[in-house]
Amino acid sequence: MGSVTATVGPAPHPNVILWFRTFAAIAGSGFRRYATYRQAAVAGVVTNTVFGFLRCYLLLAVAAGAGTVAGYDPARLATFVWMGQGLLAVVLLWGWTELADRVRTGDVVGDLLRPVHPVTSYLAADLGRAGYAVLARLLPPVLVGPVFFDVYLPHRWSTAVLFPLSVVLAVVLCFGCRYLVNATAYWLHDVRGPMILWTLSSGVLAGLYFPLRFLPEGLYQALWILTPFPGLFQAPLDVLVEVDPPAVQFALVGGQACWVAVVLAGCRVVQRRAERRLVVQGG
Amino acid sequence: MAEPAGTALGAYRALLGAQARSQTAYRVSFVVDLVGNVGAVVFDVLTVFVLFGVTRELGGFTLREVLVMVALSACSFATADLLVGNIERLPRYVRTGLFDAVLLRPLGALPQLLLMDLPLRKVSRSLFGLVVLVVAVGTADLDWTPGRAVLVVLAPVAGVVFFGAVFVATATVSFYWVESGELANSVTYGGRDFTSYPVTVFGGWFRAVFAYGLGFAFVSYQPALALLGRTDPLGLPAWVGWTSPGIALLAAALAAVAWRTGVRHYRSTGS
């Protein structure tokens, strides 16, 4: 009421079914958009697989001295690595600058005029992208890994429920983080600095280079409490390899859900402030 | 055309100067980049410390010995990435047709491409890699001989040439396959990760391909063995550590052939 920004007006949709239809339509277009880059997907799969070998051998060499490290036996480490290489493209830690680019060029104004909140519409498109990545980028390394290494196959019923949920939460959480990093463009115009910080910290702190449990216990817990990073990557993988009792698996996913709520709320607040600022600039 | 060599040199200098001015124009951004680029090497080294936090040895080597390999790898890769790494933008130049413009100018295509966006911000990473090397070699308790003193200088230089060759050779894929995307990364960044650890960490045909088929064992592993005075658990004789400059030159020659063939094969996107 009396709003000065494009997205805080009265709800444009009278019912929730229509909202879901819009969301699904945007997600579908996200799926189709990424499905067109087939060569790029093949190249990405090859690269993920090569890195799967590199990381798997490295972690197995670490375990060779001690047998079991931080609760992971060699088979669990192999599953951790290969599923991780598949998840990397699904979660998409790196390489998303669409919002920042649109802010810099001014195209973002077009997003603000649409009747769907920008956070919602970008999230829908990202879920569509992730859906395509599950088919094209997740499956190949997950199928190649077991051919060359002994992997751990999960066997609890709770994992079958929690793992897919954990992956979806990781995708949404990662989207939220990327959105926040991109949104700094509203203030900075040049997002290279925040982007470098994000790239560096997300790789290490999410558990890509080594499972975070290799770190001292206190540091690992502090990462969970203070940052969303473990929820991006480490959490779904830990749920999958069943290093903890079921109760802890639930706690990990619960932790992810809390971070999703915090980060998405953060996205909406930042977007609102940014729109005010755009109005002030007259853009 | 009176003094073609001088003119060309001037043109290259102009390209480089323009780059330096444009990249340093936004000072804060440039400084953030300089600092951020150091972070990549810092995390590579930190990862090694974390791994050694849960194990006492890696592939039969101690922390100090592995640090020499990490340092050789980081130093070589960072410098090659600074000088030649931006060739990985070639797919975009081919796709957008900018490569046509490059070929039209009366200068070498490769030097132009490299100077057109020499990423000055990566200087910090290269320098930091050098610092890591000095510290790692200093703490590794080397038994210094004149030969090792020469090798400790030659090995990183050879590593730079080798990684440079890998960057150029893998970039030529985009002449044939425009949307090759991340394909080159598997060998360039994959090679960096491979050379950061003893070859003994890896196994099977994967090790055979990366270490000896592609030659990555000669960037850090074999020279480090020679520096540390250790016999190779895989059975190669001690003098192999000194062959890395030769291997690097061979790689550079192969990359040059690949580049020439690629450019000759190049057809404009034609749209």
Side-chain angles (χ1 to χ4, degrees):
Chain A
M1 305 301 131
S3 76
V4 286
T5 67
T7 52
V8 204
H13 297 311
N15 67 49
V16 83
I17 296 171
L18 204 55
W19 186 90
F20 271 110
R21 254 192 227 155
T22 312
F23 194 88
I26 300 172
S29 74
F31 184 100
R32 284 192 300 281
R33 175 174 160 199
Y34 283 88
T36 41
Y37 303 119
R38 292 216 191 90
Q39 285 188 349
V42 172
V45 162
V46 172
T47 304
N48 287 148
T49 308
V50 170
F51 276 91
F53 279 106
L54 284 167
R55 295 200 170 118
C56 199
Y57 277 123
L58 181 60
L59 291 189
L60 290 182
V62 171
T68 300
V69 265
Y72 303 97
D73 55 29
R76 283 191 165 90
L77 285 174
T79 301
F80 191 98
V81 167
W82 286 100
M83 183 55 87
Q85 286 307 115
L87 274 187
L88 197 51
V90 176
V91 173
L92 193 71
L93 275 185
W94 305 314
W96 190 73
T97 54
E98 193 178 344
L99 178 67
D101 293 342
R102 287 177 71 84
V103 169
R104 206 191 46 214
T105 57
D107 290 342
V108 74
V109 172
D111 299 337
L112 301 182
L113 291 173
R114 293 194 188 115
V116 186
H117 193 283
V119 176
T120 311
S121 74
Y122 277 108
L123 174 61
D126 200 59
L127 285 175
R129 177 202 59 74
Y132 173 68
V134 165
L135 297 178
R137 304 289 300 271
L138 175 81
L139 288 181
V142 169
L143 295 178
V144 167
V147 176
F148 298 98
F149 296 92
D150 288 329
V151 295
Y152 175 84
L153 296 175
H155 54 263
R156 288 185 202 148
W157 68 265
S158 55
T159 306
V161 179
L162 287 174
F163 178 64
L165 180 62
S166 183
V167 169
V168 172
L169 287 173
V171 170
V172 178
L173 183 57
C174 190
F175 160 79
C177 293
R178 281 185 271 120
Y179 195 95
L180 287 177
V181 174
N182 270 260
T184 57
Y186 283 116
W187 288 269
L188 300 177
H189 303 289
D190 182 36
V191 290
R192 269 217 306 245
M195 212 47 109
I196 285 181
L197 280 181
W198 162 254
T199 308
L200 285 176
S201 45
S202 62
V204 173
L205 302 179
L208 177 66
Y209 297 152
F210 49 83
L212 295 179
R213 285 163 199 254
F214 283 14
L215 295 170
E217 178 94 17
L219 193 55
Y220 171 63
Q221 280 163 355
L223 277 179
W224 255 114
I225 295 165
L226 300 176
T227 75
F229 292 115
L232 298 174
F233 200 71
Q234 169 96 17
L237 295 173
D238 273 352
V239 167
L240 181 73
V241 299
E242 300 174 341
V243 274
D244 308 296
V248 181
Q249 285 182 306
F250 276 97
L252 288 177
V253 178
Q256 281 184 292
C258 292
W259 271 113
V260 165
V262 170
V263 169
L264 281 189
C267 287
R268 287 188 90 104
V269 170
V270 165
Q271 183 62 32
R272 243 180 106 158
R273 301 216 131 208
E275 283 166 19
R276 288 229 183 90
R277 190 183 154 82
L278 277 185
V279 173
V280 172
Q281 280 189 337
Chain B
M1 293 302 275
E3 36 178 4
T7 322
L9 213 61
Y12 288 135
R13 202 178 298 137
L15 268 173
L16 185 60
Q19 271 305 307
R21 277 197 304 282
S22 80
Q23 288 180 33
T24 50
Y26 295 95
R27 290 234 177 90
V28 178
S29 190
F30 185 70
V31 171
V32 169
D33 271 355
L34 277 179
V35 176
N37 270 291
V38 171
V41 181
V42 172
F43 280 131
D44 281 351
V45 176
L46 272 184
T47 300
V48 175
F49 277 100
V50 170
L51 295 183
F52 272 94
V54 290
T55 184
R56 297 196 62 80
E57 55 161 41
L58 206 54
F61 290 84
T62 63
L63 175 60
R64 285 180 177 184
E65 293 167 332
V66 171
L67 277 181
V68 173
M69 298 178 201
V70 176
L72 278 174
S73 164
C75 190
S76 310
F77 183 85
T79 310
D81 189 30
L82 162 71
L83 297 175
V84 192
N86 258 30
I87 197 72
E88 68 184 6
R89 292 196 188 179
L90 186 64
R92 200 192 318 157
Y93 297 152
V94 171
R95 202 184 60 227
T96 58
L98 185 70
F99 194 65
D100 293 7
V102 168
L103 285 180
L104 280 173
R105 296 184 197 140
L107 295 171
L110 189 55
Q112 271 190 78
L113 282 178
L114 298 183
L115 286 175
M116 253 162 53
D117 36 28
L118 190 76
L120 295 172
R121 60 183 187 277
K122 290 183 179 171
V123 166
S124 60
R125 180 157 45 153
S126 179
L127 289 177
F128 185 73
L130 199 59
V131 172
V132 174
L133 180 64
V134 170
V135 173
V137 169
T139 54
D141 267 343
L142 295 194
D143 187 9
W144 286 106
T145 63
R148 285 191 184 135
V150 172
L151 185 62
V152 85
V153 178
L154 262 188
V157 174
V160 172
V161 173
F162 186 88
F163 270 121
V166 171
F167 269 114
V168 172
T170 52
T172 56
V173 172
S174 57
F175 287 124
Y176 307 89
W177 203 17
V178 176
E179 262 190 57
S180 52
E182 307 168 46
L183 199 57
N185 292 3
S186 61
V187 187
T188 52
Y189 291 89
R192 181 195 59 184
D193 285 13
F194 186 88
T195 52
S196 296
Y197 299 97
V199 165
T200 48
V201 160
F202 307 97
W205 56 269
F206 184 79
R207 171 167 75 198
V209 168
F210 258 79
Y212 305 105
L214 296 173
F216 282 110
F218 302 94
V219 172
S220 64
Y221 177 69
Q222 304 291 359
L225 286 180
L227 285 174
L228 295 163
R230 282 198 52 161
T231 47
D232 187 355
L234 300 174
L236 287 185
W239 55 263
V240 173
W242 270 271
T243 58
S244 59
I247 302 278
L249 289 179
L250 179 67
L254 289 176
V257 172
W259 176 259
R260 267 156 212 267
T261 318
V263 171
R264 215 166 290 140
H265 182 274
Y266 170 74
R267 286 193 193 90
S268 181
T269 40
S271 52

